[in-house]
Amino acid sequence: MKVLIVEDDQFHATYLQDALAEALPEVTEILHAIDGAAGEEAARQAEIDAIVMDLQMVRRNGIEAARTIWAERPQCRILFWSNYADDAYLRGIAQIVPEDCAYGYVLKTASRARLKLALRAVLIEGQIMVDRELHRLQTRGASPRTRLDESEFDVLVDLALGLQDKLIAQRRGMSLRTVQNRLLSLYEKLGVISESDVGLTLNKRVRALNRALVTRTINIETLEAAQRDLETWMADRG
């Protein structure tokens, strides 16, 4: 069994190699790619079916690399690991993972024992595994009352790209009224409406984007991927 590590930090790559050797005696070869672009090529050339993927890398992030790899190898099992518990990363992964494909998400702060458990569960046993600590961090930062649902998140992303309400409605297949209702809802959940209640005169769209970035509801990787999707959608419209 061949496993590919996609990690731009050599210390972390070495740590992963050691953990893989301890946890997965089935592994016959461990390959290393230094960024997402190199990871895509390695997965293609070596016909890799199991990957440990960093999320933040200088050249091509883990979400985009996984999107390409899964498009070519939909049964490839990927364990993502990251320093960040961003909701945007989990949403991004959920949007691109193929049906019935095993994947996982573990924080780099997890214990070695926890990492080894995740490696075996995802790469060997084909389970879906998201670190409990990740769920705890998310729960601590967002209650059901403040967590955006998928349609609200889609509207937020389009708002961040600079789309006006009518174009958001066309892109998402919503009525204009529905888009406006989603905007009001996400303003409330992001705390923008409460700011206006204390006498502040602010641009709600800009404040919503600010709050989404501060709370890590979206991140730069989300926006980069969304921009590419928008360009594709606009090109298809002619």
Side-chain angles (χ1 to χ4, degrees), residues 1-5 20 24 26-32 48-52 119 123-124:
M1 177 185 182
K2 292 184 290 187
V3 176
L4 173 65
I5 294 172
L20 278 164
L24 277 62
E26 299 90 339
V27 173
T28 57
E29 185 177 0
I30 300 175
L31 292 82
H32 176 215
I48 295 293
D49 291 309
I51 299 174
V52 185
L119 287 168
L123 304 186
I124 299 296

Side-chain angles (χ1 to χ4, degrees), residues 15-87:
Y15 180 82
L16 279 174
Q17 289 171 351
D18 292 343
L20 278 164
E22 293 172 11
L24 277 62
E26 299 90 339
V27 173
T28 57
E29 185 177 0
I30 300 175
L31 292 82
H32 176 215
I34 61 172
D35 56 43
E40 293 172 13
E41 186 62 24
R44 185 179 301 117
Q45 294 296 327
E47 298 185 348
I48 295 293
D49 291 309
I51 299 174
V52 185
M53 179 83 74
D54 189 15
L55 281 172
Q56 284 198 336
M57 292 174 284
V58 174
R59 192 167 73 102
R60 199 144 173 86
N61 67 68
I63 296 289
E64 289 303 298
R67 183 202 297 262
T68 300
I69 291 168
W70 271 331
E72 298 175 359
R73 304 181 67 79
Q75 296 306 311
C76 186
R77 298 172 177 181
I78 301 180
L79 175 64
F80 298 92
W81 84 317
S82 173
N83 285 316
Y84 303 97
D86 296 20
D87 183 53

Side-chain angles (χ1 to χ4, degrees), residues 1-216:
M1 177 185 182
K2 292 184 290 187
V3 176
L4 173 65
I5 294 172
V6 185
E7 169 61 67
D8 59 358
D9 183 281
Q10 185 56 53
F11 174 81
H12 285 148
T14 301
Y15 180 82
L16 279 174
Q17 289 171 351
D18 292 343
L20 278 164
E22 293 172 11
L24 277 62
E26 299 90 339
V27 173
T28 57
E29 185 177 0
I30 300 175
L31 292 82
H32 176 215
I34 61 172
D35 56 43
E40 293 172 13
E41 186 62 24
R44 185 179 301 117
Q45 294 296 327
E47 298 185 348
I48 295 293
D49 291 309
I51 299 174
V52 185
M53 179 83 74
D54 189 15
L55 281 172
Q56 284 198 336
M57 292 174 284
V58 174
R59 192 167 73 102
R60 199 144 173 86
N61 67 68
I63 296 289
E64 289 303 298
R67 183 202 297 262
T68 300
I69 291 168
W70 271 331
E72 298 175 359
R73 304 181 67 79
Q75 296 306 311
C76 186
R77 298 172 177 181
I78 301 180
L79 175 64
F80 298 92
W81 84 317
S82 173
N83 285 316
Y84 303 97
D86 296 20
D87 183 53
Y89 282 136
L90 278 178
R91 288 182 186 268
I93 293 168
Q95 289 174 351
I96 64 172
V97 62
E99 187 176 358
D100 298 327
C101 182
Y103 72 96
Y105 192 144
V106 64
L107 294 173
K108 290 185 178 181
T109 54
S111 68
R112 192 179 186 89
R114 185 67 180 171
L115 171 61
K116 289 162 65 174
L117 178 65
L119 287 168
R120 183 147 205 94
V122 176
L123 304 186
I124 299 296
E125 299 172 4
Q127 300 179 25
I128 295 174
M129 180 176 178
V130 177
D131 199 323
R132 288 193 302 265
E133 180 63 17
L134 190 68
H135 284 304
R136 281 197 292 268
L137 289 170
Q138 288 192 312
T139 302
R140 193 181 309 158
S143 69
R145 289 190 308 105
T146 60
R147 182 175 173 82
L148 304 185
D149 65 27
E150 290 304 316
S151 63
E152 292 164 349
F153 184 78
D154 288 342
V155 170
L156 173 63
V157 168
D158 283 354
L159 176 154
L161 293 174
L163 276 61
Q164 295 299 318
D165 296 1
K166 288 184 179 179
L167 196 55
I168 295 175
Q170 293 175 26
R171 176 163 150 78
R172 299 299 179 180
M174 300 177 182
S175 68
L176 184 59
R177 175 63 62 85
T178 298
V179 170
Q180 292 168 343
N181 287 338
R182 297 294 184 274
L183 283 169
L184 289 174
S185 179
L186 69 88
Y187 290 158
E188 181 176 2
K189 290 182 177 181
L190 291 171
V192 174
I193 288 180
S194 63
E195 293 175 334
S196 64
D197 290 341
V198 295
L200 296 175
T201 303
L202 302 170
N203 183 309
K204 290 183 178 179
R205 297 175 87 92
V206 174
R207 283 300 296 167
L209 174 57
N210 175 274
R211 292 296 305 154
L213 289 169
V214 168
T215 58
R216 295 186 178 275

